[in-house]
Structures are given as structure tokens and as C-alpha cells.
Amino acid sequence: MKKAFKVLTSLAVTGSLLATGTGFVTEPVPAAYAAETAQAPSVYIAPIDRAKFLAGSLFDFRVELNHLTAMPSSVSITVNGKEAEQFFGKPFVKTNTDKSQEFTIRDVKINEPGTYEVAVKADNGLAKTVKYEVVLADQGGKKAKNVILFVGDGMAFPDVTMSRIMSKGITEGKYNGLLEMDKFDQRAVVTTSGMDALVTDSANSASAYNTGHKSAVNGLGIYPDNTESSLDDPKVETLAEMLKRTRGMSVGVVSTSEIEDATPAAVVSHTRRRSDKADIAEMLYKLQPEVILGGGSAYFLPKSTPGSKRKDEKNLFDMFQQKGYTIAENATQLKAANAPDKLLGLFHTADMSVYYDRSTNNKAELKSFTDQPNLWDMTQKALDTLSKNDKGFFLMVEGASIDKQLHPLDWERAAYDTIEMDKAIGVAKRFAEQNGETMIVVTADHSHSVSVAGTYWEGDGKSGREAFRTYEDSKFPTYVDGNGDGFPDHPDVDRKLAVVFGSYPDYYEDYKFDPVPTSPSVKNKEGRYVANPAKLANPDDPNRDRFLRQGTVNPTTESVGVHTADDVPLMAYGPGSQYFKGTMDNTDVFFGMANALGLNVSDAKSDGKNWVPLASFVNMMGGTVKFNASTREITIQVNDSTVVLNLNSGKATKNGKDVTLEHKFENGTTFVSGSSILEVLAK
């Protein structure tokens, strides 16, 4: 055994682990805190408990004493026992109302990795403590120069399944092909809840990917506060901001939605209200991503211009052009743009039209916007520009209308948009294969309640529920891709997928494709949402109730299907993809990208050690690892050697004799230095 150790270096160990993924030695997660009574006196600290930071990243620190019945005369705020003002090197800005007191310090950072405890105590008896974890990005192994993040908005697991079926077909139970995203070897599942609710929206879920922090529904790059203004809430720095501030990397934002919508906005913005779209457009201007492509030109046009949604006369097109941006307003102009240094393309005043309607030139829906590009051409143009920066780039690409069509229960248009995004993933994959320094991450921000339950067939004269075929009656659907473009030639075939939803209003489902996107429900004179007959191929069908689906959501508040809390898929490819595995919180996706880049935004220096996950190393050597939660002891068994590491005392023994084992515990994982574990086992 000693001979085998001699040929292993710590560098080789690290490389092997990066190739095979990492293992975990975990401790139990503490129980969630009970929600505070809404109007009871309380302490709120932002960032919140269990927040995790990349060392050196910027954030705003805020403490609120809310719903006070009497003002405290003194308040103590400490970080690891040190007065907060002294710890951060800045004084508090103190404010108050007749029922609250606030203490705020903006643009602070924690440079040194470790665990930090914030304690707030007031002399009226109020007190609260939260803990933070500050980490350095992993510097070991091959690093990515570029990161491309694809977000299929609302893309639940079943959406991938139905899109694969419609795109590739299935014969005798085997798929005739796979989507591009299916071919990525590294896979994980992501949990999506925000800090304030089980079910998230796109704002705070996309914000988690871009900042590593939770937020509240409608929040972007912030923790919520108690003020009315949506633009003064405590900020957390986004990945794009870090990369521009510390590395000079380029940034691209591409979406089929308004470019100010939640997911693209999360790359650059800080607001409690995702609807602050005019302000978000200006936040894009402030950061100036080198590539901006999507819809939403209404917020770039001055108020006096027809179609504008601004309340002032700012012309953001002129402002961007003065900064050297090439402007494109349609697909023809985008095609003509030959890898400019900066590229701004906005192809609709609102959200871009969905792929099906664009590809069929459905003028009833397109109106005057008949020359919109597809997502894979937008992605290619973005790569042409961004790859000119030898310092690297971060590109976020969103398939936005997967979500925007699942809301109105138009699963067919959602599937077409999923396939469109998958073709854009193919463009990125080919770039990454040639480049060799690019990591691609594909995921969703949240899920919808869509599911594939069988097939629908009226060939024997049945319709409605009686034509809904399950189990052995669910014969394979008959979609055809005659021209080989990856899309079914038509969504209406004789045997279709039978797709159902779990969270929806009353609506009609006759499994006939809607000529134009149509709302599933309409409000009646009593103020309740009821099924919309316009969803039917024959709205005047006297027996139309055979197609009626009784809703599950509140009929007075919800007119469309809503998000769900289901986990979402993640696929990764390229250098750094090993950081994405198992079950991940959505905030962990940020840290995976930071680790892939080896992003160091801190003054802290690496200790020069090659840290490897203990469990992965031991498993690779054919050994076993056991963790005793009550004693916090890790027992390692490799051949005839038994090593015991006590995480409380830091002491280690081998076969009963004291040894030195360099270790650290971060984010639920025990790491050891490659050289020390080799030395311990070789003795």
C-alpha cells in the first residue's frame, strides 16, 4: 500500500476527484425557525441566517427593529463579538419611524473565509442571532475561462420529457434521439424556494443563481427591508458585477422575454419590485453588458415615442449607441452585425413572440414584429462578440416563453420554445468543444405543475376524458419531423401527448392547438375566473363541458396556471461541471459557477494547499468513511488502517496513535489537504 501512495501526488489526487465528482461528510441541518408573529416586536437582520458569501463580495448590512411598542435606549450589534461598525470599518446610517429603528451600512465585504455570528441585543429585551458562512472559491483543478448559464424559465422535468418526445420521437419505448441537454453527463437537481415562500417566482429564483443569496418573491439582488421604496433595499453583488469589477470579463444577457424581465434582470439589477422595468433598463446601462439581446424596447424609448413605457424622455438607445454599441432592431440587422465590440438588439417592444408563431410567420400573433431572430442565432451572435475578450465572459441565455406559455397552459408552444432553447444549447456546446475552456450550465429557475400522463386519441370516435388514454392504451404519439429541423412539423396530430396540470384555473382542454396564444380563463361578472370558451376549436359546442377541467387554484385571484415548488433539473458540461451534482439549493448554483471560474474577489490569499473532499479521497482508495453526529467524529477505514478525526477538537489518531491531519469543514463537507492525508495513510 505504501508503494501505491508514493506514486500519488496531491495534484493527481485533486485531478482525480475533479474528474469523478466530490463526496460529502455531512452534519444534520438544524430545524427551521418558526415564523415570527406578523405584528409582534421583532428583529430582522439582512443578510439573513445561514447566508453564504463569496469572500470579498459586496453587500449591504441592515438591522431592523420592527413593530416596536417602545423605543429601546440602547442597541448592541456585533459580528463575532466585535462592534459591527468597527468590524466593517464604516458607521451605521440610523433611521427610525414611530414603530421601528433601522441600522444600515452599505457596500461592505468580509474578506476572510470562516463562520461569522451577528448578534443584536436591545435593552427592551429584543435579541436575535444569525450566522454567516464566508468561503473562498476552489482554486484547484482546471478552471473555466467562460461560463454560459442557460435558464429554461419554468422548465420542469416533464417539460424536458414532452419536448424530447415531440422533437425526437419514440419507438417501441426507446427514444429515437436525445436533446442536446440530455447528453450532458454531469447532472443534479435544484431546490427552488425563496426566503419568504415555498413557491418562488422567477425574480428571486434567478437572483439566487446570480448572487448566491435567497431573496423574496419579486426581489432581485436584494434582501427586503421595511421601507416603501423598492430601490433602497439591502443589495448583494451579482456574479456579473463581480466579474467586471475584479476580472474585466465580458458579460452577455440574452432572452426571448423583455430584457428587463425577472431572469435577465437578475444578472444586473437590485430592486424589491421586478416591475421596476424602466429602472432595470438603466441598471443595464450602468453595468453595460457587452451583449444585450431580447425584447423590451418600450423601456428604452423616450416617453414621447409611440410604444414607449417610460415616464421620462430618456432615450436609452442613444445612450447605449454613444457608448459604442451596435444597435439591431430585427433579425436582418442582427445577422448583419459582424461581431461588434458591443451589441444591443431589442426585437419587440414587449416579450418576443414564441418560436412556433415566429417560425410559421403567424401574423395574427406577430402583428408588425415579423422579423424576430431565433434564440440559437442570438446565442451565436453573443458568442461571436463575447469571445473577443481574452479575459473570458459570462453569458446568461434564457428560454423565457417556456414559462410564459405554461402559465396559460399552452404546453405545445412551451415545448417548441424548449426545443428552441435546446438548439441554442447545441450552439454553445459546439463553441465549448472547440474552445476547451468553457463551462455550460443548463437549469430552470422554478417548475410548473405540467405532467405527461399518456396520449390523446379520437380515432375511435371518443373525445374529452374518454379519449384520454393511459397505460397500455397510451400508444405512442405520431409527431413527425419531416424536414429534420428538430421540431414537429405540426403540433396537431392524430395521437397527441396527453398533458395535464396540477395547479390551474377552470379551463377547457380539447387537445386542439390554439391558432394564437389564448388565456385559459376569463373573469365573469361576479369577479371569478371561469373557463374561456375561446380555448376550444368549437367554442359553441353544446357539449363542451366534456372538455372542462375543474380548477385547483383560487378562482378570484388566479387566471392562469401557477408555479410549483418541485425540484428542477440541472445539466452541466465542461471544466468545472463537477461542482454540480446531487441535490443542490438554488444558491449553490452561484457557488458552483464561482468555483468553476476559481473566482477570487477577496484580499485573502490561498493557503497553497490542495484541499480534497475526505470522503471522495477515501472512497477512491477503496476505503470507507463513517460519521458519528453525536461525537462529531469521522472514522476512516483503509485496508488495516483506522483513522479517527474529531471535528470538535481537531485531533486525529491512526490506529490509536496521534497523527496530524490538516482539515477544514465547509458547507457540510470535510476537506483534507492532499499531502497530509497521503502522509497519514503512508506511515
Side-chain angles (χ1 to χ4, degrees), residues 529-580:
Y529 288 104
V530 297
N532 182 5
K535 285 284 286 184
L536 293 168
N538 178 15
D540 299 319
D541 186 337
N543 190 27
R544 68 188 187 193
D545 279 355
R546 70 187 186 280
F547 300 117
L548 181 64
R549 299 280 175 86
Q550 294 288 341
T552 59
V553 297
N554 188 335
T556 64
T557 60
E558 301 292 350
S559 63
V560 296
V562 300
H563 302 173
T564 56
D566 303 332
D567 298 345
V568 295
L570 183 146
M571 307 83 162
Y573 168 85
S577 60
Q578 72 276 358
Y579 294 108
F580 302 89

Side-chain angles (χ1 to χ4, degrees), residues 102-400:
E102 299 86 24
F103 306 81
T104 306
I105 309 177
R106 298 199 182 270
D107 288 328
V108 298
K109 58 185 177 179
I110 304 175
N111 277 321
E112 295 297 327
T115 301
Y116 293 82
E117 182 176 276
V118 177
V120 177
K121 295 181 181 179
D123 62 0
N124 63 357
L126 284 178
K128 186 170 184 177
T129 300
V130 300
K131 289 186 178 181
Y132 299 154
E133 181 184 7
V134 179
V135 300
L136 287 172
D138 187 1
Q139 302 298 309
K142 182 179 180 181
K143 292 301 165 190
K145 178 180 176 181
N146 314 307
V147 168
I148 306 173
L149 172 64
F150 281 91
V151 179
D153 199 315
M155 186 183 70
F157 280 97
D159 182 67
V160 177
T161 302
M162 68 188 186
S163 301
R164 185 191 308 121
I165 293 170
M166 294 176 71
S167 173
K168 304 301 180 182
I170 184 170
T171 304
E172 294 183 330
K174 290 188 176 182
Y175 289 99
N176 302 330
L178 295 175
L179 299 173
E180 294 287 350
M181 69 180 91
D182 288 327
K183 300 173 186 177
F184 286 12
D185 290 335
Q186 199 68 34
R187 304 178 73 86
V189 296
V190 179
T191 62
T192 62
S193 296
M195 63 172 280
D196 65 331
L198 176 67
V199 179
T200 186
D201 78 321
S202 293
N204 61 338
S205 51
S207 184
Y209 292 159
N210 283 276
T211 69
H213 291 265
K214 297 288 188 181
S215 190
V217 170
N218 296 321
L220 289 161
I222 57 92
Y223 283 100
D225 69 11
N226 62 0
T227 67
E228 291 186 11
S229 171
S230 60
L231 299 174
D232 68 353
D233 295 60
K235 299 187 296 294
V236 286
E237 193 173 24
T238 70
L239 178 62
E241 290 172 324
M242 294 179 205
L243 295 176
K244 277 189 165 289
R245 175 170 68 87
T246 66
R247 284 197 173 184
M249 291 173 63
S250 292
V251 172
V253 186
V254 176
S255 177
T256 51
S257 71
E258 293 175 318
I259 205 67
E260 310 86 0
D261 200 14
T263 303
V267 178
V268 304
S269 62
H270 305 278
T271 173
R272 178 67 182 88
R273 187 170 54 226
R274 59 182 284 183
S275 59
D276 289 334
K277 293 184 179 180
D279 297 292
I280 291 169
E282 294 185 45
M283 293 175 196
L284 280 161
Y285 178 75
K286 180 180 179 181
L287 185 68
Q288 293 192 20
E290 281 70 16
V291 174
I292 304 170
L293 300 175
S297 63
Y299 298 99
F300 279 61
L301 298 169
K303 180 181 178 181
S304 56
T305 301
S308 171
K309 291 186 178 180
R310 294 194 66 85
K311 296 180 180 179
D312 56 35
E313 288 299 323
K314 290 182 180 179
N315 187 326
L316 269 68
F317 279 115
D318 286 351
M319 293 164 60
F320 274 96
Q321 198 162 30
Q322 289 167 10
K323 291 294 184 179
Y325 282 77
T326 295
I327 308 297
E329 297 181 77
N330 52 50
T332 302
Q333 292 177 3
L334 180 66
K335 185 177 181 179
N338 186 21
D341 291 336
K342 297 180 180 181
L343 178 60
L344 170 63
L346 299 181
F347 311 109
H348 201 293
T349 50
D351 297 322
M352 292 177 63
S353 300
V354 301
Y355 178 80
Y356 177 84
D357 297 313
R358 281 185 272 119
S359 64
T360 58
N361 195 28
N362 186 357
K363 293 183 178 179
E365 195 283 327
L366 300 181
K367 305 294 191 297
S368 62
F369 297 98
T370 55
D371 190 18
Q372 301 174 60
N374 60 52
L375 189 59
W376 63 86
D377 285 338
M378 293 161 68
T379 300
Q380 184 63 65
K381 286 294 183 180
L383 293 173
D384 292 344
T385 289
L386 296 173
S387 59
K388 296 171 68 175
N389 187 345
D390 59 8
K391 295 179 181 178
F393 64 81
F394 169 61
L395 170 62
M396 193 289 301
V397 180
E398 181 195 23

